[in-house]
Amino acid sequence: MSILSIATSGLSAASLRVNVAASNIANVSTTGPLPASGGSSASAGASSPGIGPTFPAAYVPLRVDQVSQSSGSTPGGTIATVSAVSPSFTAQSAPGAPFANQDGLVAAPNVDLAGEFVELATAKYSFIANAKVIQAYAETEDTLLDIKA
């Protein structure tokens, strides 16, 4: 695997980390009904019992799993994949929410804000390091071309 492809795989992984962390931070307050409550709440004045408004589920936070690429005879680079955080929600008290269960609980995304900001910082420095590798490669290539000319 070439130096450029190794560095670009690192850039892609860093970019994915930023996107996932930003999504988790933006949706930290996106609550929904607890899964045990069935996702719906019957209103008191409904003509048929059990029929009521349905509410969207709570945001499911994501995480990036990054492993080194080890395929072929010359391994190098990294592969990043996105998966859901497990458990995806925590019970949170919000008795005023229309989808709260009888105990006043709703499902809140299981997002660790401090951890997400660490992910952003890690992605930033990873991106910088991989960009420096590409820059150094380009400068070295230019120098080699000057020597040959």
Side-chain angles (χ1 to χ4, degrees), residues 19-147:
N19 288 335
V20 167
S23 178
N24 287 344
I25 291 168
N27 290 294
V28 72
S29 298
T30 308
T31 59
L34 284 170
S37 66
S40 66
S41 171
S43 59
S47 59
S48 300
I51 298 178
T54 58
F55 299 97
Y59 171 74
V60 176
L62 304 171
R63 73 169 191 244
V64 175
D65 300 312
Q66 189 172 339
V67 295
S68 76
Q69 189 172 353
S70 59
S71 63
S73 61
T74 56
T78 186
I79 298 173
T81 57
V82 177
S83 60
V85 171
S86 181
S88 63
F89 70 91
T90 59
Q92 183 179 44
S93 178
F99 47 81
N101 68 6
Q102 64 275 12
D103 297 326
L105 299 175
V106 297
N110 187 15
V111 174
D112 173 24
L113 280 177
E116 296 304 326
F117 282 102
V118 168
E119 285 292 323
L120 287 174
T122 302
K124 173 186 173 182
Y125 291 115
S126 174
F127 197 91
I128 290 170
N130 284 292
K132 291 282 187 185
V133 167
I134 292 172
Q135 181 182 11
Y137 179 78
E139 289 171 1
T140 303
E141 215 172 44
D142 286 344
T143 304
L144 287 174
L145 291 174
D146 287 343
I147 291 171

